[in-house]
Amino acid sequence: MMELYTQTLNELSLGLEHGDFTSVELTQALLARIAAHNEKLNAFVTITSDEALAAAERADDARAKGRAGILNGLPIVHKDIFCTRGIKTSCGSRMLDNFISPYDATVVEKLAAAGAVVLGKANMDEFAMGSSNETSFYGAVKNPWDLSCSPGGSSGGSSAAVAARFTPAATGTDTGGSIRQPAALTGTVGIKPTYGRVSRYGMVAFASSLDQAGVITRTAEDAARLLGVMAGFDERDSTSIDQAVPDYTAEIGKSIKGLRVGIVRQHFDAGLDEQTGVRVKEAIAVLESMGATAIEVNLPNIDLSVPTYYVVAPAECSSNLSRFDGVRFGYRAENPEDLLDLYCRSRGEGFGDEVKRRIMTGAYVLSAGYYDAYYLKAQQVRALIADDFKKAFADVDVIAGPTVPAPAFKLGDKVDDPIQMYLNDIYTIGANLAGLPAISIPCGFVNELPVGLHLVGAHFAEASLLRAAHQYQQQTDFHRACPEGFQ
Ligand code: GLN
């Protein structure tokens, strides 16, 4: 039998069904692997061994009684931004280092109801602000492909855990690229669904009009299975959309013959590493060889997406993070002199530098004198960008390009240069501003580091993205490559 940790969710599901192993055995095997290798990566904030084994026992019991859900006994890791009842939810911050949520996020609840077993909570950039995982209060996560490199961020613990075969799947969140960018840098699959497709209830808010939950896996097939469980209307999230969830797993089997693939010139401009561009073009050629047609499309305002995002996202974060005041929950400074001192020192000591930078930028762009010049203007540009995509999707089904401008960068390289760090999301942010679904899939290597192919679709076109990704993975085996030292 193939080692359990090497198997995908789909393979593990078949093994459990056939009785080749139990969920308890599977959970024990993965926990042992995490115990042996996590120190090298720092992928977890919390490892939930006891809870996982108890859940695995319940899953085995449910199967024995003929009541196995679609994810019965299968492992998952949650980004530590999802509230988990009774288990610490830190959001990568000192501010929430002592926070135990009294309830589960909808995503957590739905996956648990389908039988999933939570192995632990993944490390992440503080409050999901970052592209390298270096802003985490718990320290940087390392990339299994090269331990001196970043696994991306902010869902870097999730991406590293999947790439290192600690788990076949992990949840993530994506506000500007935080699922897709780490997926690209670790050779995994990451999907950010349409805004409103998956509930944000119980997901610690960063920028509410951009935040969306999704998954990181090794195959599109596994992503389809998980998304089918996670997606759907939730009355507890006011922006959740009430639309039927397609059977993604059934959809991915269909051919991509006739798929119209849009190519945007700016995605291949000077900012792109040359070899990365070559790998991405090869991937597009593979899609063409399967019957897709490449068509040039124009997104005239896409170059404005990074500056637009860095007005909108900080503005929303400055508002969302005002709830962390040292009074209601989280970190509280010791011996405050008065109420103001309590607020100031709790926030001053509880938040890290990047979070403070965002809050200050956000408060500035929302201030009376600058609101029109920055915030309002950014909202207008956001509408133009969304409109560009809308026009493009009249002619094409998906837009293909690189996920990230270059393969994984060294830890420490960009941390003192926020602009360079922000530019890592140059190709991913547009989808968030327009609320569109997008996926990153491994499409080769440059200097032995993974490269990601990015596909963006029209609203609710997750099935088309997953299908293109799945069909591509039937023709290629980049997703099977395993980093040295983690085989
Ligand atoms: N890297 C981007 C940022 O720092 C996106 C983060 C995210 O998607 N959560 O804001």
Side-chain angles (χ1 to χ4, degrees):
M1 185 172 65
M2 257 181 5
E3 290 281 4
L4 295 180
Y5 65 80
T6 64
Q7 299 187 31
T8 65
L9 215 52
N10 196 48
E11 289 161 349
L12 292 170
S13 172
L14 290 172
L16 286 169
E17 244 169 69
H18 294 159
D20 299 342
F21 48 88
T22 64
S23 177
V24 168
E25 286 164 348
L26 169 60
T27 306
Q28 280 167 339
L30 293 177
L31 288 171
R33 186 167 166 80
I34 293 168
H37 294 283
N38 182 50
E39 220 165 287
K40 284 182 263 181
L41 300 181
N42 194 27
F44 288 90
V45 172
T46 307
I47 299 166
T48 51
S49 309
D50 294 346
E51 293 84 352
L53 288 167
E57 259 174 48
R58 287 196 299 276
D60 285 335
D61 193 47
R63 188 177 300 281
K65 295 191 173 120
R67 290 199 315 258
I70 175 128
L71 299 175
N72 195 72
L74 293 169
I76 189 111
V77 166
H78 287 305
K79 182 177 183 178
D80 209 16
I81 196 169
F82 290 97
C83 285
T84 41
R85 194 179 52 219
I87 295 165
K88 176 163 98 171
T89 299
S90 73
C91 219
S93 183
R94 182 182 195 192
M95 186 58 95
L96 291 178
D97 183 45
N98 62 3
F99 177 62
I100 310 277
S101 170
Y103 65 93
D104 278 331
T106 298
V107 162
V108 170
E109 198 177 270
K110 282 189 160 189
L111 291 169
V117 171
V118 181
L119 300 175
K121 306 285 302 281
N123 200 346
M124 56 179 284
D125 278 303
E126 185 177 9
F127 284 102
M129 298 171 199
S131 304
S132 69
N133 234 286
E134 290 167 289
T135 71
S136 170
F137 175 59
Y138 303 94
V141 179
K142 294 178 183 120
N143 191 323
W145 290 95
D146 179 340
L147 299 180
S148 68
C149 286
S150 163
S154 63
S155 312
S158 299
S159 69
V162 174
R165 275 67 177 162
F166 291 167
T167 174
T171 53
T173 60
D174 192 311
T175 304
S178 277
I179 289 175
R180 295 160 288 155
Q181 184 256 13
L185 300 192
T186 57
T188 53
V189 171
I191 183 163
K192 175 200 100 71
T194 306
Y195 182 77
R197 178 78 284 190
V198 174
S199 170
R200 290 182 296 109
Y201 179 76
M203 220 170 90
V204 179
F206 163 11
S208 307
S209 77
L210 301 158
D211 297 342
Q212 181 56 198
V215 281
I216 295 181
T217 55
R218 293 195 293 272
T219 65
E221 188 177 37
D222 285 356
R225 176 190 287 243
L226 289 166
L227 192 58
V229 174
M230 289 162 65
F233 179 64
D234 180 5
E235 60 182 16
R236 295 175 298 185
D237 171 359
S238 62
T239 58
S240 166
I241 291 171
D242 195 357
Q243 199 178 104
V245 179
D247 182 348
Y248 297 118
T249 302
E251 291 287 325
I252 59 172
K254 297 179 188 161
S255 143
I256 60 162
K257 206 162 186 295
L259 185 82
R260 298 165 305 166
V261 178
I263 313 290
V264 179
R265 182 188 43 77
Q266 292 98 317
H267 290 166
F268 294 88
D269 271 358
L272 177 65
D273 163 65
E274 198 186 312
Q275 284 305 306
T276 300
V278 172
R279 293 292 96 80
V280 170
K281 284 182 181 150
E282 287 165 359
I284 294 168
V286 171
L287 296 176
E288 288 185 291
S289 75
M290 296 162 70
T293 331
I295 302 165
E296 191 154 330
V297 287
N298 198 7
L299 296 176
N301 297 293
I302 196 71
D303 289 344
L304 299 172
S305 59
V306 172
T308 304
Y309 174 88
Y310 278 99
V311 174
V312 174
E316 292 185 21
C317 109
S318 77
S319 165
N320 273 328
L321 271 62
S322 63
R323 72 191 63 172
F324 302 107
D325 56 4
V327 177
R328 284 171 285 190
F329 35 53
Y331 179 79
R332 177 177 296 175
E334 293 199 5
N335 307 320
E337 277 169 22
D338 53 25
L339 187 61
L340 191 63
D341 186 46
L342 170 73
Y343 289 155
C344 292
R345 279 202 297 114
S346 296
R347 288 168 69 80
E349 293 162 18
F351 290 137
D353 288 349
E354 184 60 26
V355 171
K356 287 178 191 160
R357 182 182 291 130
R358 305 282 179 114
I359 293 174
M360 286 195 289
T361 312
Y364 177 81
V365 301
L366 288 174
S367 63
Y370 296 97
Y371 183 93
D372 287 355
Y374 292 102
Y375 185 69
L376 193 65
K377 186 60 80 186
Q379 292 294 9
Q380 289 165 339
V381 179
R382 180 179 186 175
L384 292 177
I385 293 171
D387 203 44
D388 288 349
F389 274 109
K390 200 168 169 199
K391 286 188 187 131
F393 285 121
D395 299 325
V396 296
D397 303 304
V398 300
I399 292 176
T403 311
V404 190
F409 50 91
K410 297 273 181 208
L411 287 162
D413 255 16
K414 296 186 197 282
V415 77
D416 296 321
D417 187 346
I419 305 285
Q420 273 313 309
M421 191 69 93
Y422 296 172
L423 283 173
N424 223 250
D425 296 318
I426 190 161
Y427 306 131
T428 50
I429 279 175
N432 300 81
L433 290 171
L436 300 166
I439 193 168
S440 178
I441 49 174
C443 72
F445 294 86
V446 170
N447 300 331
E448 292 171 31
L449 291 170
V451 174
L453 170 71
H454 189 220
L455 301 173
V456 185
H459 291 122
F460 297 100
E462 283 83 0
S464 306
L465 299 180
L466 289 163
R467 177 157 51 99
H470 176 67
Q471 294 301 327
Y472 176 81
Q473 291 193 315
Q474 303 308 295
Q475 302 296 318
T476 56
D477 56 9
F478 302 119
H479 58 287
R480 286 186 225 283
C482 184
E484 229 179 277
F486 294 92
Q487 280 98 343

